[in-house]
Amino acid sequence: MGFKLTIEQGKGRGQSFDFDAEQVTIGRTEDNDVVLYDGGVSRQHARIAFDGTHWVLSDLNSANGTTLNGAKIASEVLEGGDHVGIGQAVFRFDAAATGASTRIVSLSEAEKRAPAKAAAAPSPAWAAKAPGVDPRLIRYAGMGLVGIVAIVLVAVAFRAKNDNGLKACPSDIDIHGVSGFVFGRGVDADCQAAAKGLRFGFQGTANTRYLLHYAAFFVNGDELEILVNGQRVAYAPAAPQRQTDPQILTIPDNLVKFGKDNANSVVFRDKKGSDAQWGVERVDLESIPLAAASLEKGTRAYELGKNLYNNKNVAAPNLYNAWMELRDARAYFEGLAQKPTDYQMAIDLSARIEKELDKLCKRELFAAKQDMMYGRFEQAQEAYQFILEAFPGDAHPCRQRAQEKMNVERRLATQQ
């Protein structure tokens, strides 16, 4: 008796861990069997337990919920090949695994207290991480064996400088977990893309639809093209200003390749290959299992999202949670042969809320910056704490920005 969890999305993707215990808990604190240091994961988030006949996945009243094959659940029986979503991670569940019980822990202060010998794990060519993205590792220990599975970090190309003295982007980047990454040509960015553009990679899963999220700026019409596996699928819309609206592009199903040996690519490229200025940020790939399609669940998520939005001033996280519910509604509707009216309404309201979240983020970060400039350190920390409450998950990059600035400015305050 036992089971295996394989990370299929998120940091450490491709790594597998075997368990022989009758119960495994997953959460953010170190008393769990699977520890995920992720703002979207609750202290005690979920449990996988054997009831004598089946393995059962249960959500432990987590703040952001637990998904099974893309649908939020309270408690459901697991079957081999099921996908369990917790925070930014998606695990594949397989029963009857063999081997010793294994404990999964993301790299954190705990790792520093119990150092282990590092060993690099094989990684596809596109697995370099974007600059500024936390390169956390996955640690596993069990039956006296302690080791580290290291995710491939930034390629040597990151350290190269272009003619403007800015970091050059690597040729390939894993598309997962880069929502706070900014790149382009001739713009203030984390790195400068090559003339041929920048390529993101991902592995495709059958019966899954992929939505590409991004925001482009300083772009002229029909200039910045987006290619999937070498085929142009769209041009980024004209955007003369730095602040632009987020875009959602549905990747054609027939262009997605499946299987662990078939990597897919998404490329942002100036078709003229010139030195024209352009930039892209907020890149994210949303995967929607089509088998999870449900009119009932989609309608329920849509109504909940609307209700949260109408009460956005009642509690700090309501606006963010409304946005997430509407994203869930779209996911449930996506696989339906005939889309309901609520499908487009969910898309439109989700886009509206995302703009409001952007404005909220900008306003609060500016307020915190002003407080720091005038030595009001406690007020600045309060502003950052409000952001963490208003953005309880990492789907929007504001939480990551606030955490980074909060930590830096806290150190500065202690030096005063």
Side-chain angles (χ1 to χ4, degrees), residues 151-231:
I151 299 173
V152 175
L153 303 181
V154 181
V156 175
F158 267 147
R159 296 192 292 269
K161 302 288 184 178
N162 63 8
D163 294 338
N164 296 325
L166 298 173
K167 293 180 180 179
C169 297
S171 57
D172 304 289
I173 296 179
D174 185 344
I175 202 168
H176 297 289
V178 295
S179 61
F181 174 46
V182 184
F183 66 94
R185 295 279 293 172
V187 297
D188 182 16
D190 295 318
C191 66
Q192 293 284 298
K196 63 181 180 180
L198 193 145
R199 177 179 182 268
F200 294 91
F202 70 96
Q203 289 182 326
T205 303
N207 299 315
T208 302
R209 184 155 296 152
Y210 293 93
L211 305 181
L212 176 66
H213 297 253
Y214 72 96
F217 54 93
F218 299 153
V219 176
N220 296 323
D222 293 346
E223 176 187 64
L224 184 63
E225 57 183 355
I226 303 171
L227 302 93
V228 175
N229 293 330
Q231 299 293 316

Side-chain angles (χ1 to χ4, degrees), residues 33-47:
D33 301 291
V34 179
V35 183
L36 300 175
Y37 293 97
D38 178 344
V41 177
S42 297
R43 296 171 62 86
Q44 290 271 321
H45 196 107
R47 177 178 62 240

